[in-house]
Amino acid sequence: MVHIFLNYPTPSNQQLVLSHGDCWLNNLLFRYNDAGDPVEVMLVDLQSIRKHTPAVDLNYFLFTSFSSPERRLNLEEFLETYYTTFSSLLVAGEAPVPFTLEDLRLEFRRHMIYGCVTRIILTPYVLGEEEDAPEVEDVTENDLEEVAKARMRTIVSMGQREGSFFKTKLLDVFDDMIEAGLLS
């Protein structure tokens, strides 16, 4: 999984855009109107920006920020909204739109493994309690194997807790992988 997370996503030359690189809910700031409705959103935490396919950011965001049922039910709307906004900004700037909505759909599917792996890796951190956080101060290279074993024990215990949302959220991603043909 770490190999896929670090090395897998190779962008299509046709779809190179300025990509956030760490696009998920915790890196979004919202401004609300008096009625409590969101009227503006800003991405923060910009140290991972690079040229890449938007499919990687979309997978990262949709797999880490939504439950599987929400994402599956609304995927087409998410992709259409992204594409419509992206292409309208380019048109307003008198720049050509380099790819179609269908191209984006295909690229999203091609990079779906990245979204799945990101979900698997980040779910324990996102849904963990304070006591679940790994102790990493003063860890040396000699300690890595024991730290990894302790982390696995923590993740297993998180899944065994009464009423654990963690277990459902983590297992949902395997249904996504089967649906995408990544697992059989």
Side-chain angles (χ1 to χ4, degrees):
M1 283 193 303
V2 171
H3 173 73
I4 290 170
F5 187 75
L6 296 175
N7 302 308
Y8 174 78
T10 55
S12 155
N13 286 335
Q14 179 191 20
Q15 292 194 23
L16 286 178
V17 299
L18 194 57
S19 180
H20 185 271
D22 191 16
C23 188
W24 66 303
L25 280 178
N26 281 12
N27 285 334
L28 296 176
L29 292 179
F30 295 89
R31 186 170 61 84
Y32 297 88
N33 63 17
D34 292 338
D37 300 320
V39 294
E40 188 176 14
V41 63
M42 296 280 185
L43 276 166
V44 297
D45 197 8
L46 305 174
Q47 75 270 15
S48 299
I49 288 179
R50 64 197 187 274
K51 273 187 164 180
H52 220 294
T53 173
V56 171
D57 269 357
L58 287 167
N59 269 289
Y60 192 114
F61 178 69
L62 295 175
F63 274 86
T64 59
S65 301
F66 294 92
S67 69
S68 292
E70 285 176 315
R71 187 184 55 262
R72 283 188 209 117
L73 184 63
N74 297 293
L75 180 60
E76 187 58 30
E77 183 179 351
F78 291 144
L79 294 177
E80 285 177 9
T81 300
Y82 174 88
Y83 184 78
T84 301
T85 303
F86 175 77
S87 58
S88 66
L89 287 171
L90 289 177
V91 168
E94 299 179 1
V97 180
F99 52 88
T100 67
L101 176 56
E102 185 57 28
D103 293 334
L104 180 63
R105 286 183 188 114
L106 293 172
E107 189 77 347
F108 180 85
R109 295 292 268 182
R110 192 169 83 82
H111 290 284
M112 203 168 164
I113 185 71
Y114 186 75
C116 293
V117 168
T118 302
R119 170 102 171 236
I120 291 168
I121 291 172
L122 293 183
T123 295
Y125 295 99
V126 173
L127 296 179
E129 302 293 333
E130 185 176 339
E131 66 269 11
D132 298 324
E135 294 292 331
V136 292
E137 291 180 21
D138 303 319
V139 172
T140 67
E141 204 171 315
N142 295 335
D143 301 326
L144 290 180
E145 188 173 333
E146 187 51 43
V147 169
K149 287 178 184 177
R151 187 67 186 146
M152 287 304 299
R153 288 190 297 272
T154 300
I155 290 170
V156 168
S157 74
M158 288 172 67
Q160 293 172 340
R161 291 182 188 149
E162 183 81 24
S164 174
F165 180 61
F166 168 76
K167 186 175 182 178
T168 302
K169 185 144 178 133
L170 191 60
L171 292 178
D172 275 353
V173 76
F174 292 97
D175 292 335
D176 294 315
M177 293 172 87
I178 291 167
E179 180 184 324
L182 303 169
L183 293 176
S184 54

